[in-house]
Amino acid sequence: MRIDVLTIFPEYLAPLELSLLGKARRQGLVDLHVHDLRDWTHDRHRTVDDSPLGGGAGMVMKPEPWAEAFAAVRAAGRAEMGEQAQPLVVFPNPAGAPFAQATAQAWSEREWIVFACGRYEGIDERVYEHLDAEGYEVALASLGDYVLNGGEVAVLAITEAVVRLVPGVVGNAESLREESHAEGLLEYPLYTRPAAWTDPAGTLREVPPILLSGDHAKIAAWRRERSLERTAERRPDLLGPAPTEG
Ligand code: 6GU
């Protein structure tokens, strides 16, 4: 999978070199390119923003650097992957569709994603119109109902969620099937040794005996019940709409 990131803060993406992602890169499973949007400006101050037409607070990102950046990144990617290659362009945006595990799963199967990090109040609307007209596939994705200063932190989160699902990146595929959200439920409680533990307050805390029974079918059924119970308690929305009266 190839990933390009367009940002005015390329150093913000440094964590992508670490741990899981660094390993995926070294193994050649992920090819990551972080670009400074200001490389596609032409004035002395490398200007990427201007005041909103019609008035209002804050600044708006100018269209020209974005259009040049997308053209250059698409050309560079196609030069490596072939002229038929089509990136999915993702704008992290609090007004986007909620990013969820199903999104991460779908995107982990893409050949190429270009993340476009907006800052300030937003990006000139004509950039989206232009990308549409040029045949780019575009998605807006939100991490949740709160506002970040820019898309960079969202790209860190989305990239980690996506890349760990790329086959070969997480060693144990079983752990991906069992974790929270993998089946639309929260994960069951986990225990390890010692099976009987006296906590610092002097209370003896034992693991549920069924986990020591060796009966794998019973353990699986018990875990399923705990998952359902936990999901109903903490995230009833995941179990579907509440039944209505009448
Ligand atoms: Cl994806 N971007 C920004 N800027 N703010 C957000 C967000 C994304 N998701 C939640 N808040």
Side-chain angles (χ1 to χ4, degrees):
M1 165 184 281
R2 179 183 170 114
I3 297 177
D4 289 270
V5 184
L6 291 165
T7 171
I8 59 168
F9 293 118
E11 62 282 14
Y12 226 105
L13 283 303
L16 292 183
E17 316 272 346
L18 296 174
S19 181
L20 189 79
L21 217 87
K23 187 175 149 233
R25 289 182 79 177
R26 285 189 296 278
Q27 291 178 333
L29 297 169
V30 174
D31 181 22
L32 176 73
H33 302 259
V34 178
H35 311 273
D36 187 342
L37 181 68
R38 292 189 201 274
D39 291 349
W40 289 283
T41 59
H42 303 287
D43 63 312
R44 213 157 48 82
H45 299 290
R46 311 229 288 161
T47 311
V48 292
D49 63 330
D50 201 342
S51 45
L53 291 174
M59 299 293 268
V60 176
M61 296 192 93
K62 296 165 63 60
E64 305 96 315
W66 282 112
E68 278 194 40
F70 283 116
V73 164
R74 185 162 72 170
R78 284 179 171 175
E80 288 201 353
M81 282 182 292
E83 290 306 310
Q84 82 305 327
Q86 284 282 13
L88 171 67
V89 177
V90 175
F91 289 90
N93 193 305
F99 177 80
Q101 191 66 18
T103 327
Q105 186 63 57
W107 290 359
S108 74
E109 291 158 27
R110 304 293 294 224
E111 175 189 28
W112 186 11
I113 302 177
V114 176
F115 289 105
C117 299
R119 281 264 153 180
Y120 314 112
E121 303 311 307
I123 301 171
D124 189 301
E125 188 67 20
R126 292 168 295 178
V127 172
Y128 304 105
E129 298 170 4
H130 167 68
L131 293 177
D132 252 4
E134 292 295 312
Y136 288 83
E137 188 179 352
V138 174
L140 266 62
S142 169
L143 290 192
D145 294 336
Y146 48 85
V147 177
L148 305 170
N149 278 333
E152 286 79 7
V153 165
V155 167
L156 292 177
I158 291 171
T159 301
E160 182 159 320
V162 168
V163 167
R164 63 193 293 284
L165 297 178
V166 171
V169 171
V170 167
N172 185 355
E174 187 84 356
S175 70
L176 295 181
R177 277 196 293 280
E178 291 181 358
E179 66 194 5
S180 287
H181 298 294
E183 310 230 43
L185 295 176
L186 303 186
E187 196 176 24
Y188 49 78
L190 298 168
Y191 301 87
T192 187
R193 281 174 287 278
W197 171 57
T198 303
D199 76 12
T203 304
L204 175 65
R205 299 186 179 278
E206 295 178 285
V207 308
I210 193 166
L211 299 179
L212 308 175
S213 70
D215 186 333
H216 298 295
K218 270 202 176 146
I219 291 171
W222 180 87
R223 285 177 165 168
R224 178 101 194 148
E225 280 169 42
R226 300 290 82 71
S227 276
L228 284 163
E229 198 173 75
R230 205 166 243 203
T231 308
E233 174 71 23
R234 299 181 186 174
R235 291 292 306 278
D237 56 297
L238 296 179
L239 296 174
T244 49
E245 279 177 61

